[in-house]
Amino acid sequence: MEGFLRFLAAKAILLALASSFVSCYDPSPLQDFCVAVDDASGVFVNGKFCKDPKYVKAEDFFTSGLNIAGNTINRVGSNVTNVNVDKIPGLNTLGVSLVRIDFAPGGQNPPHTHPRATEILVVVEGTLLVGFVTSNQDNNRLFSKVLYPGDVFVFPIGMIHFQVNVGRTNAVAFAGLGSQNPGTITIADAVFGSKPSIMPEILAKAFQLDVNVVKYLEARFSSNYDRHY
């Protein structure tokens, strides 16, 4: 009996360890930093090669320009300026990134998801309606709120979420994301603009639409224009 209990305890420990590994996204760094570099002679860590620490400089941890408004003249009326590992090489392995989002009146950051990051957003100008939808297991509940300057809202990792400017003036928000490269799946772009296209008959049944409507939407989104972060 004692041997069996030890076996169960060992199995529980292994399952817990496996669970912790599975739930990890950006792994914790094992050094002070690993500045990304294109030189293939470096050490490959978390999708990037590491610069020799002897040659790291302050500029590797710096960028500028977030004071400049993005161009919102596009089909959704918004612009996302990314500050990720591709912009600041020093972010490599640090598990964090930042975006500035500009909105024209009525503009939106359309429904999308970040597969590798939770997002925390703060409004600095204007009025935004924001929200996220939970998973099927939670009956796809919508959590939504109108935000004003200084308000903060969190979008849990993987949840479909959106932001819409419901004010009469431009709006600006900044968001932190819990990954150096959070990834983005914009729902409409992914579903109706995939390469190659998903069979219209499949989408027609899934969305309960006429197949000709699906073909029209696929034609609209297949040009791959104005994609967001």
Side-chain angles (χ1 to χ4, degrees), residues 18 24 28 40 98 117 122 174 178 181 187 201:
C24 287
S28 298
L98 176 73
V122 58
F174 287 86
N181 187 18
I187 307 307
E201 292 77 12

mmCIF file of all heavy atoms in Angstrom, residues 18 24 28 40 98 117 122 174 178 181 187 201:
data_model
loop_
_atom_site.group_PDB
_atom_site.id
_atom_site.type_symbol
_atom_site.label_atom_id
_atom_site.label_comp_id
_atom_site.label_asym_id
_atom_site.label_seq_id
_atom_site.Cartn_x
_atom_site.Cartn_y
_atom_site.Cartn_z
ATOM 1 N N ALA A 18 4.652 18.767 -15.545
ATOM 2 C CA ALA A 18 4.242 18.826 -16.945
ATOM 3 C C ALA A 18 3.277 19.967 -17.176
ATOM 4 O O ALA A 18 3.350 20.687 -18.172
ATOM 5 C CB ALA A 18 3.609 17.491 -17.361
ATOM 6 N N CYS A 24 3.557 27.503 -19.692
ATOM 7 C CA CYS A 24 4.521 28.572 -19.913
ATOM 8 C C CYS A 24 4.375 29.147 -21.321
ATOM 9 O O CYS A 24 4.042 28.431 -22.256
ATOM 10 C CB CYS A 24 5.947 28.061 -19.733
ATOM 11 S SG CYS A 24 6.385 27.747 -18.023
ATOM 12 N N SER A 28 11.259 32.080 -18.587
ATOM 13 C CA SER A 28 12.054 32.996 -17.785
ATOM 14 C C SER A 28 13.505 32.975 -18.262
ATOM 15 O O SER A 28 14.055 31.914 -18.550
ATOM 16 C CB SER A 28 11.995 32.596 -16.312
ATOM 17 O OG SER A 28 10.669 32.666 -15.835
ATOM 18 N N ALA A 40 23.868 34.882 -37.248
ATOM 19 C CA ALA A 40 23.603 33.468 -36.976
ATOM 20 C C ALA A 40 24.717 32.798 -36.183
ATOM 21 O O ALA A 40 24.580 31.644 -35.781
ATOM 22 C CB ALA A 40 23.389 32.721 -38.294
ATOM 23 N N LEU A 98 4.875 46.370 -25.909
ATOM 24 C CA LEU A 98 4.019 47.541 -25.748
ATOM 25 C C LEU A 98 3.462 47.953 -27.095
ATOM 26 O O LEU A 98 4.113 47.747 -28.130
ATOM 27 C CB LEU A 98 4.848 48.684 -25.144
ATOM 28 C CG LEU A 98 4.195 50.053 -24.962
ATOM 29 C CD1 LEU A 98 3.195 50.009 -23.815
ATOM 30 C CD2 LEU A 98 5.262 51.120 -24.676
ATOM 31 N N ALA A 117 -0.262 36.166 -25.067
ATOM 32 C CA ALA A 117 -0.122 37.267 -24.112
ATOM 33 C C ALA A 117 -1.453 37.757 -23.557
ATOM 34 O O ALA A 117 -2.442 37.869 -24.280
ATOM 35 C CB ALA A 117 0.604 38.444 -24.763
ATOM 36 N N VAL A 122 -4.487 51.091 -21.153
ATOM 37 C CA VAL A 122 -4.844 52.334 -20.482
ATOM 38 C C VAL A 122 -5.203 53.378 -21.529
ATOM 39 O O VAL A 122 -4.514 53.514 -22.547
ATOM 40 C CB VAL A 122 -3.705 52.845 -19.570
ATOM 41 C CG1 VAL A 122 -2.417 53.067 -20.337
ATOM 42 C CG2 VAL A 122 -4.120 54.140 -18.854
ATOM 43 N N PHE A 174 -2.577 53.074 -24.751
ATOM 44 C CA PHE A 174 -1.343 52.295 -24.720
ATOM 45 C C PHE A 174 -1.660 50.966 -24.047
ATOM 46 O O PHE A 174 -2.475 50.905 -23.120
ATOM 47 C CB PHE A 174 -0.245 53.031 -23.941
ATOM 48 C CG PHE A 174 0.326 54.211 -24.658
ATOM 49 C CD1 PHE A 174 -0.283 55.457 -24.556
ATOM 50 C CD2 PHE A 174 1.457 54.089 -25.451
ATOM 51 C CE1 PHE A 174 0.227 56.565 -25.223
ATOM 52 C CE2 PHE A 174 1.978 55.183 -26.120
ATOM 53 C CZ PHE A 174 1.371 56.423 -26.011
ATOM 54 N N GLY A 178 2.024 40.636 -22.266
ATOM 55 C CA GLY A 178 2.924 39.759 -21.532
ATOM 56 C C GLY A 178 3.708 38.802 -22.401
ATOM 57 O O GLY A 178 3.797 37.605 -22.087
ATOM 58 N N ASN A 181 6.681 38.860 -28.098
ATOM 59 C CA ASN A 181 6.090 38.715 -29.429
ATOM 60 C C ASN A 181 4.724 38.049 -29.266
ATOM 61 O O ASN A 181 4.584 36.849 -29.491
ATOM 62 C CB ASN A 181 7.007 37.885 -30.330
ATOM 63 C CG ASN A 181 6.520 37.843 -31.762
ATOM 64 O OD1 ASN A 181 5.710 38.660 -32.186
ATOM 65 N ND2 ASN A 181 6.996 36.871 -32.515
ATOM 66 N N ILE A 187 -9.828 38.237 -36.236
ATOM 67 C CA ILE A 187 -10.790 37.184 -36.568
ATOM 68 C C ILE A 187 -11.259 37.253 -38.020
ATOM 69 O O ILE A 187 -11.210 36.262 -38.754
ATOM 70 C CB ILE A 187 -11.996 37.241 -35.614
ATOM 71 C CG1 ILE A 187 -11.533 37.222 -34.150
ATOM 72 C CG2 ILE A 187 -12.946 36.084 -35.905
ATOM 73 C CD1 ILE A 187 -10.600 36.091 -33.790
ATOM 74 N N GLU A 201 -18.235 26.962 -48.677
ATOM 75 C CA GLU A 201 -19.328 26.144 -48.154
ATOM 76 C C GLU A 201 -19.147 25.874 -46.657
ATOM 77 O O GLU A 201 -20.114 25.799 -45.902
ATOM 78 C CB GLU A 201 -19.403 24.821 -48.918
ATOM 79 C CG GLU A 201 -19.840 24.945 -50.371
ATOM 80 C CD GLU A 201 -18.724 25.462 -51.281
ATOM 81 O OE1 GLU A 201 -17.550 25.501 -50.835
ATOM 82 O OE2 GLU A 201 -19.020 25.815 -52.438
#
